[in-house]
Amino acid sequence: MEVKYWTYLIVGFTFAVYIGIAIWSKAKSTKEFYVAGGNISPIANGMATAADWMSAASFISMAGLIAFSGYGGSVFLMGWTGGYVLLAFLVAPYLRKYGKFTVPEFIGERFYSKTARLVAVLCLIVVSVTYVIGQMKGVGVAFSRFLETDYNTGLFIGMGIVFFYAVLGGMKGITYTQIAQYVVLIFAYTVPAIFISLELTGNPIPQLGLIGNVSDGTPLLQKLDTVITELGFGKYTNNVMGSKLNMFAYTLSLMIGTAGLPHVIIRFFTVKKVSDARLSAGWALIFIAILYTTAPAVAAMARLKFTKTIQVDKVGEVSGNIKYEKRPEWFKNWEKTGLLQHEDKNGDGRIQYYNDADKSFASVASEYGWKGNEMTKIDKDIMVLANPEIAKLPGWVVALVVAGGLAAALSTAAGLLLAISSSISHDLLKGIFRPQITEKQELNASRISMVGAILLAGYFGLNPPDFAAGTVAIAFGLAASSIFPVLMMGIFVKRMNREGAIAGMIAGLGVTLLYVFQHKGIMFIPGTSYMGGMEENWFFGITPNAFGAVGAIVNFAVAFIVSKMAKDPPEEVQKLVEDIRLPQINEN
Amino acid sequence: MNDQKSESEIPEDSSSPLGSGMTKQEYWKKNITCVLSLLVVWFVVSYGCGILFVEQMNKISIGGAQFGFWMAQQGSIYVFVVLIFVYVRLMNRLDREFTSTCQNEEKVQTEGEDQS
């Protein structure tokens, strides 16, 4: 059967499952809509959290990113998993004990201030919307490439599915759908990885394959280092990203950003008790770790496979480079999409792929008669999607990967949309502007704001702003520099007051935004970056993406200084802090 | 808003009537100690082995990989998982000790803690 029909079959089947779950789990109360009734089991919630967390970026982009950055790519692996340790130790149990529906609600009550709540809502919406745009785009791309519909139709189908189960079921529908989506995505990710690992190293477990040997007896990683350094690239296993300090700050930003992402935090409101919240974070990390420990294996193997496809034999000999007309089928398919491009610079009808930016190797290469790197474009995002084709796996595996990518994108989009809609209906409407509305009206309002959020996300999906790629920096920077510190101080510093918290949030946010904008352009409009993206202007060599950690430090510092100048929080707030620190006495 | 009370004046059962039990402050202190010591491990395996001292770690090898590289891409993640489950166990034990104290107190004092 052709790949296309397999894709229709598998994607169609998974979508039918999602819709079935939606009908079965319609939310009837605000509690069901916001926190799925508050009685999800820790394992189920862990699985849903994992699907919620692993987005199209984790599924599609991460392995490709690591493949081409080697050791430097470790920041993503450590950052996006280590954040769960912080979440489990410092955030989830206390906010679960607090026992309400949204993150801004906690911030508002802890800092006895509607302004603080409003600032928190604002951060939440900016973080979640920037995040959701990427997911919608992923859905559109997956559809257009594999189901041969056009991009817009793909996007509408994706929106329709999310609309159905998120609006009907709220958190309840989303939770059960996410469990199904986790199963689909993890299966889709590991199956091709197993095949590739088996082929390259003879070991079916990719994590072991990574430290195993290739067929000629040399270790996989050593082989990879040799193959790519012969072509002038940096060594895979010690290729640092920027500098040590940058890697440190980058990892820290991702970790504290993870622990401050509202759509992840609210998942811990769905379990029954505090001890379940802790346990659930552990299960979530197990489910996430399955993908995150597979990804570096996929990365290294894909890089080796990809390089060897082009450089089939000894570097420097004419026959060492593959003839362009003999390029494999997957190569042709991706060329059609424009994500892979070749230009025969020296007119020899063969492909040369090497690092022409490395001066000493470039001069060696010119002696071979090479006139520059001929792979003019390699989009890193294609690595995971192309992997099954590169490994010559059957059509149903390719189809499975498409369904997995869609599951990753849809599950994350739904979680984000819920975070947005609950902060609009619960925080803005019920909490600040219209406290008198009934539960029924609030439930309707949250459904309407969910529809609004989906339409907004769809609009941005149809007209993707140019800045989409740069927004990851903003999303994590905001969460790391504003939400995480304010939660920490709210829980661990009893004396922290309203004035300190608000000043800290604004300062942390301001510094981070300023830094990102000055290097990437105001609102990412090219040409407005008043200091340019130039590396020499980076603060201690820290890239804009890694700046959230610095923003968080500024936030803490400002908050402590300002809080010393204002009055202590009122007694009932201090009581609230004491209360969230203690375990529930009468559990069960 | 008479919120000028100093911390010592805030009503708090600073000593347990039963003597053997655990006060709120003791519970909180133990909680912080537990979290901090686990965070030291968290820091050492990721930032320590994976970033700051990666060259030194790379002199050791694990299978076909250098240890520092392996910690950064694999090992730290496994340790993170273990850390959370250790934390869950330690905290559950601490919670049990604390709640049993509270329940004893409730029996003694009749006015119970109104939690949940």
Side-chain angles (χ1 to χ4, degrees):
Chain A
M1 197 154 56
E2 234 189 290
V3 174
K4 197 170 121 189
Y5 297 109
W6 271 116
T7 314
Y8 275 114
L9 194 73
I10 295 180
V11 171
F13 173 73
T14 55
F15 278 22
V17 171
Y18 307 153
I19 290 174
I21 294 172
I23 295 169
W24 168 70
S25 60
K26 188 174 185 296
K28 292 176 200 73
S29 65
T30 46
K31 194 168 187 201
E32 284 190 342
F33 194 89
Y34 292 139
V35 296
N39 57 5
I40 303 288
S41 93
I43 299 184
N45 186 53
M47 213 177 251
T49 309
D52 199 327
W53 171 238
M54 293 190 287
S55 61
S58 292
F59 190 93
I60 297 170
S61 310
M62 193 176 62
L65 215 54
I66 299 167
F68 290 97
S69 53
Y71 163 69
S74 311
V75 297
F76 303 108
L77 294 164
M78 287 189 285
W80 283 334
T81 53
Y84 273 82
V85 177
L86 300 180
L87 206 52
F89 291 4
L90 307 174
V91 182
Y94 308 108
L95 289 198
R96 176 63 194 84
K97 177 68 196 301
Y98 170 67
K100 292 198 185 150
F101 295 153
T102 71
V103 174
E105 189 176 15
F106 171 74
I107 293 174
E109 198 171 331
R110 166 62 183 85
F111 295 109
Y112 45 102
S113 154
K114 284 188 177 171
T115 314
R117 193 168 181 176
L118 203 63
V119 175
V121 169
L122 226 77
C123 294
L124 183 148
I125 290 177
V126 176
V127 171
S128 306
V129 168
T130 48
Y131 225 99
V132 94
I133 296 170
Q135 308 308 318
M136 285 308 191
K137 207 173 155 223
V139 172
V141 171
F143 264 101
S144 60
R145 192 156 323 140
F146 292 96
L147 298 173
E148 293 168 30
T149 58
D150 66 42
Y151 176 87
N152 292 3
T153 318
L155 192 67
F156 289 134
I157 298 172
M159 277 166 68
I161 299 282
V162 175
F163 180 87
F164 202 74
Y165 68 75
V167 174
L168 260 188
M171 186 58 122
K172 197 177 166 200
I174 289 173
T175 303
Y176 291 115
T177 325
Q178 281 173 336
I179 293 170
Q181 283 161 335
Y182 176 79
V183 175
V184 173
L185 83 86
I186 203 67
F187 192 62
Y189 202 83
T190 45
V191 166
I194 289 169
F195 277 116
I196 295 163
S197 176
L198 203 55
E199 187 203 323
L200 273 176
T201 66
N203 196 320
I205 300 166
Q207 286 84 345
L208 295 177
L210 181 67
I211 57 170
N213 298 340
V214 289
S215 54
D216 64 4
T218 48
L220 172 82
L221 288 166
Q222 201 182 315
K223 176 88 181 172
L224 178 57
D225 275 346
T226 321
V227 167
I228 62 176
T229 47
E230 276 178 359
L231 292 166
F233 295 101
K235 239 180 167 184
Y236 188 83
T237 51
N238 62 9
N239 191 25
V240 177
M241 184 185 273
S243 65
K244 232 174 213 196
L245 178 68
N246 181 54
M247 282 183 71
F248 191 97
Y250 208 144
T251 309
L252 191 60
S253 295
L254 295 181
M255 281 193 189
I256 61 180
T258 303
L261 282 178
H263 75 283
V264 177
I265 297 173
I266 54 172
R267 286 239 48 102
F268 294 96
F269 297 171
T270 65
V271 294
K272 223 186 262 165
K273 50 190 186 191
V274 174
S275 55
D276 283 354
R278 298 185 196 118
L279 188 58
S280 187
W283 281 109
L285 189 56
I286 287 193
F287 293 126
I288 291 166
I290 298 174
L291 190 143
Y292 272 63
T293 53
T294 307
V298 170
M301 291 169 195
R303 177 80 184 269
L304 182 62
K305 210 75 187 138
F306 180 79
T307 313
K308 294 293 277 178
T309 302
I310 296 167
Q311 190 70 47
V312 289
D313 210 341
K314 242 181 147 185
V315 178
E317 276 172 32
V318 178
S319 62
N321 295 77
I322 191 171
K323 275 196 181 136
Y324 182 66
E325 70 219 34
K326 285 206 173 149
R327 68 198 188 284
E329 202 57 37
W330 60 265
F331 199 111
K332 292 178 198 161
N333 290 341
W334 286 100
E335 270 184 318
K336 274 186 232 155
T337 65
L339 297 174
L340 201 62
Q341 279 166 19
H342 167 254
E343 186 197 330
D344 195 0
K345 289 180 181 163
N346 62 354
D348 66 349
R350 291 172 185 272
I351 307 172
Q352 279 95 38
Y353 167 52
Y354 67 101
N355 185 11
D356 52 8
D358 183 278
K359 288 216 170 63
S360 63
F361 185 74
S363 64
V364 177
S366 65
E367 282 169 30
Y368 299 149
W370 296 0
K371 293 197 174 129
N373 177 25
E374 296 184 348
M375 291 307 300
T376 45
K377 181 165 184 185
I378 305 168
D379 191 300
K380 292 166 190 160
D381 284 355
I382 71 174
M383 291 318 286
V384 166
L385 296 173
N387 229 343
E389 296 170 281
I390 296 178
K392 299 193 189 73
L393 299 179
W396 63 268
V397 181
V398 181
L400 193 62
V401 171
V402 179
L406 284 169
L410 289 176
S411 58
T412 306
L416 289 162
L417 291 167
L418 186 93
I420 297 171
S421 82
S422 61
S423 73
I424 291 173
S425 61
H426 192 67
D427 292 311
L428 286 187
L429 208 60
K430 176 94 182 169
I432 299 176
F433 297 116
R434 283 276 170 83
Q436 73 277 18
I437 55 170
T438 63
E439 183 180 325
K440 192 131 197 254
Q441 285 171 314
E442 194 190 336
L443 189 59
N444 284 335
S446 55
R447 289 207 161 103
I448 293 166
S449 46
M450 177 79 87
V451 173
I454 293 176
L455 292 178
L456 183 72
Y459 171 79
F460 280 123
L462 288 177
N463 309 289
D466 295 332
F467 59 80
T471 49
V472 182
I474 285 285
F476 274 89
L478 286 184
S481 65
S482 62
I483 301 173
F484 180 76
V486 87
L487 289 178
M488 286 305 93
M489 293 182 292
I491 297 164
F492 293 95
V493 187
K494 200 157 64 178
R495 291 293 188 77
M496 183 50 67
N497 50 28
R498 168 177 62 195
E499 291 77 9
I502 296 173
M505 262 202 277
I506 292 170
L509 205 63
V511 165
T512 311
L513 281 181
L514 213 66
Y515 192 76
V516 174
F517 284 164
Q518 78 182 13
H519 292 291
K520 294 199 163 183
I522 296 161
M523 296 318 292
F524 302 100
I525 300 160
T528 58
S529 64
Y530 38 96
M531 277 172 83
M534 290 102 74
E535 291 185 33
E536 53 267 34
N537 288 333
W538 284 345
F539 180 74
F540 289 116
I542 296 173
T543 56
N545 286 0
F547 204 71
V550 181
I553 293 168
V554 171
N555 184 335
F556 279 119
V558 169
F560 277 106
I561 293 166
V562 172
S563 72
K564 289 279 171 262
M565 296 188 281
K567 284 196 285 188
D568 277 353
E571 204 174 303
E572 66 268 18
V573 170
Q574 302 202 17
K575 282 226 120 170
L576 169 80
V577 178
E578 279 172 33
D579 184 60
I580 59 168
R581 290 173 172 187
L582 297 175
Q584 278 146 316
I585 303 296
N586 300 313
E587 288 192 337
N588 305 317
Chain B
M1 292 219 298
N2 55 337
D3 48 43
Q4 293 294 51
K5 283 192 172 183
S6 73
E7 199 157 329
S8 58
E9 284 168 306
I10 293 160
E12 205 148 49
D13 51 344
S14 46
S15 68
S16 162
L18 293 178
S20 63
M22 189 187 292
T23 64
K24 287 180 185 176
Q25 287 93 335
E26 278 170 349
Y27 172 83
W28 184 242
K29 215 177 239 173
K30 283 193 178 172
N31 176 11
I32 296 287
T33 317
C34 163
V35 165
L36 283 182
S37 40
L38 293 175
L39 281 180
V40 170
V41 182
W42 166 84
F43 185 86
V44 168
V45 296
S46 51
Y47 297 95
C49 300
I51 298 174
L52 298 175
F53 299 104
V54 68
E55 290 90 3
Q56 288 84 336
M57 293 296 149
N58 274 344
K59 292 192 179 121
I60 314 165
S61 62
I62 170 165
Q66 293 163 308
F67 187 67
F69 175 85
W70 185 82
M71 280 307 282
Q73 299 214 336
Q74 298 270 302
S76 57
I77 301 175
Y78 299 130
V79 179
F80 293 155
V81 172
V82 174
L83 277 180
I84 296 185
F85 281 91
V86 170
Y87 168 74
V88 168
R89 283 198 75 143
L90 291 176
M91 287 307 290
N92 282 349
R93 194 192 298 162
L94 191 60
D95 283 5
R96 264 199 306 278
E97 282 174 39
F98 180 73
T99 44
S100 68
T101 316
C102 287
Q103 274 152 7
N104 289 341
E105 267 175 46
E106 271 170 46
K107 276 176 207 156
V108 175
Q109 297 185 331
T110 62
E111 50 124 352
E113 292 265 343
D114 201 25
Q115 313 259 355
S116 86

